[in-house]
Amino acid sequence: MKPIIALSIGVLFGFGLTLAQMTNPLAVIRFLDITGKWDIRLAFVMCAALLVTLVGYRILFSKLDKPLLSLKFRLPNKSNIDSQLIIGSIMFGVGWGLSGYCPGPAIAGITINPRESLIFILAMFVGVKAHHLSVETQRKVKIAQ
Amino acid sequence: MVEINSQVIVSALSGGALIGLSAVLMMLLFGKIAGISGAFGQLITISKGSLKTAASSWQFYFLIGLALGGWLYSKAFGINFDMRENFSTSLLILSGILVGFGTQLGNGCTSGHGVCGIARLSIRSILATCLFMGSSIVTVYLVKL
């Protein structure tokens, strides 16, 4: 049952991303291009997504102690601002601006623009692996010390 | 600025609302943040290249659903934007690597930090979103030069 529900939530998300034109990298770049012919469309997308999530989270956190199909809410527990957050977010922004793809739209757009999506996702896989390896190496160095 | 009509606004708002709705459902049912880069990174860690292990995780179904959602939309309503052609492969690869590494280092992307994190009023997420929006705007500006 859980796989089907996770799949359905993904379908809704991917459908929404495509309806919102997030899967169109040109629309994303036009949105980021504030000094050019700025396309305000994605600002509406972000505002609507945020508003629904903000209100929805408020209601469900105030009414429920635990999620319906799991034992507890698993919220990110980090609260400090560190250099990893800052450097990682800037790196992500540079990558996003270069192609107009971020992770969700690249995956949702795999049948819409397969060539670009597939190359991007494979490269993203390499980036994720590189990060995992660097974490692993740092851990080993620490243990050795 | 690009011309905006009411149809564009309606599709942007409803697309955004669907993205928000899936984030709320993910929290309501599974108690989890609907972060795509997080799910992608976890799937790679869990599966270790085995499809069988991948198929036992919710992340796998969520991401498959994402691609299915994009496909369903394009089958039902077609794609109403001009496809970008002959976009540089090396730029796509560089972009994907930066996005993959950056989102793992910074713990999130547009969905995790930008939607779910801001909706939780997380200071980390608000800062991350400002940083990746800022660096993507600068990148688009520089690439255009």
Side-chain angles (χ1 to χ4, degrees), chain B residues 3-19:
Chain B
E3 188 116 12
I4 290 286
N5 57 40
S6 57
Q7 203 199 334
V8 167
I9 295 180
V10 169
S11 68
L13 289 177
S14 37
L18 283 182
I19 296 168

Side-chain angles (χ1 to χ4, degrees), chain A residues 33 68-69 74 80 95 99 115, chain B residues 28-29 31 84 89 95 124:
Chain A
D33 187 14
L68 300 181
L69 302 176
R74 292 186 191 277
N80 60 319
S99 68
R115 180 192 163 266
Chain B
L28 173 71
L29 298 166
R84 179 168 63 182
T89 304
S95 157
R124 267 174 66 87

Side-chain angles (χ1 to χ4, degrees), chain A residues 61-137:
Chain A
F61 286 141
S62 67
K63 304 257 182 224
L64 297 173
D65 297 323
K66 67 182 220 35
L68 300 181
L69 302 176
S70 272
L71 295 175
K72 58 176 186 173
F73 291 116
R74 292 186 191 277
L75 300 173
N77 49 16
K78 274 191 189 174
S79 60
N80 60 319
I81 308 283
D82 49 20
S83 59
Q84 296 182 341
L85 180 81
I86 295 170
I87 297 166
S89 298
I90 293 174
M91 275 178 81
F92 163 46
V94 173
W96 190 28
L98 283 179
S99 68
Y101 281 112
C102 55
I107 297 171
I110 207 161
T111 61
I112 296 165
N113 200 349
R115 180 192 163 266
E116 286 190 4
S117 288
L118 279 172
I119 295 172
F120 180 87
I121 293 168
L122 281 176
M124 191 163 78
F125 174 85
V126 172
V128 171
K129 269 285 181 197
H131 177 260
H132 289 178
L133 279 176
S134 77
V135 171
E136 194 59 22
T137 314

Side-chain angles (χ1 to χ4, degrees), chain A residues 2-3 5-7 9-26 29-41 44-46 48-50 52-54 56-58 60-61 64 67-70 72-76 78-82 84-99 101-104 107-108 110-113 115-116 119-121 123-132 134, chain B residues 1-2 4 8-9 11-34 36-37 40-41 44-45 58 61-74 77 79-89 91-111 113-116 118-121 123-124 127-129 131-133 135-137 139-141 143-144:
Chain A
K2 279 187 184 178
I5 296 171
L7 187 98
I9 298 176
V11 168
L12 206 62
F13 205 123
F15 193 92
L17 283 171
T18 314
L19 170 62
Q21 287 225 2
M22 284 290 294
T23 45
N24 175 6
L26 284 176
I29 287 176
R30 285 188 206 117
F31 168 64
L32 297 170
D33 187 14
I34 54 171
T35 60
K37 273 187 161 187
W38 191 41
D39 184 348
I40 197 175
R41 176 197 296 262
F44 287 104
V45 178
M46 283 188 108
L50 250 178
V52 170
T53 313
L54 196 90
Y57 275 7
R58 280 269 151 123
L60 76 91
F61 286 141
L64 297 173
L68 300 181
L69 302 176
S70 272
K72 58 176 186 173
F73 291 116
R74 292 186 191 277
L75 300 173
K78 274 191 189 174
S79 60
N80 60 319
I81 308 283
D82 49 20
Q84 296 182 341
L85 180 81
I86 295 170
I87 297 166
S89 298
I90 293 174
M91 275 178 81
F92 163 46
V94 173
W96 190 28
L98 283 179
S99 68
Y101 281 112
C102 55
I107 297 171
I110 207 161
T111 61
I112 296 165
N113 200 349
R115 180 192 163 266
E116 286 190 4
I119 295 172
F120 180 87
I121 293 168
M124 191 163 78
F125 174 85
V126 172
V128 171
K129 269 285 181 197
H131 177 260
H132 289 178
S134 77
Chain B
M1 206 185 275
V2 163
I4 290 286
V8 167
I9 295 180
S11 68
L13 289 177
S14 37
L18 283 182
I19 296 168
L21 181 63
S22 26
V24 174
L25 285 174
M26 184 63 100
M27 190 58 77
L28 173 71
L29 298 166
F30 296 113
K32 292 196 166 89
I33 293 285
I36 314 288
S37 56
F40 186 76
I44 291 172
T45 315
W58 67 270
Y61 295 96
F62 178 55
L63 297 179
I64 296 284
L66 202 63
L68 204 60
W71 179 78
L72 276 175
Y73 182 91
S74 60
F77 303 105
I79 290 301
N80 52 351
F81 54 80
D82 32 326
M83 216 68 79
R84 179 168 63 182
E85 275 168 28
N86 305 321
F87 185 72
S88 149
T89 304
L91 216 52
L92 267 175
I93 293 173
L94 177 63
S95 157
I97 292 175
L98 282 168
V99 169
F101 197 97
T103 52
Q104 298 305 304
L105 186 63
N107 297 112
C109 56
T110 26
S111 51
H113 279 313
V115 177
C116 301
I118 297 185
R120 289 171 52 237
L121 304 178
I123 301 293
R124 267 174 66 87
L127 176 70
T129 307
L131 289 170
F132 68 66
M133 289 297 301
S135 61
S136 58
I137 287 170
T139 304
V140 168
Y141 181 76
V143 167
K144 232 177 37 156

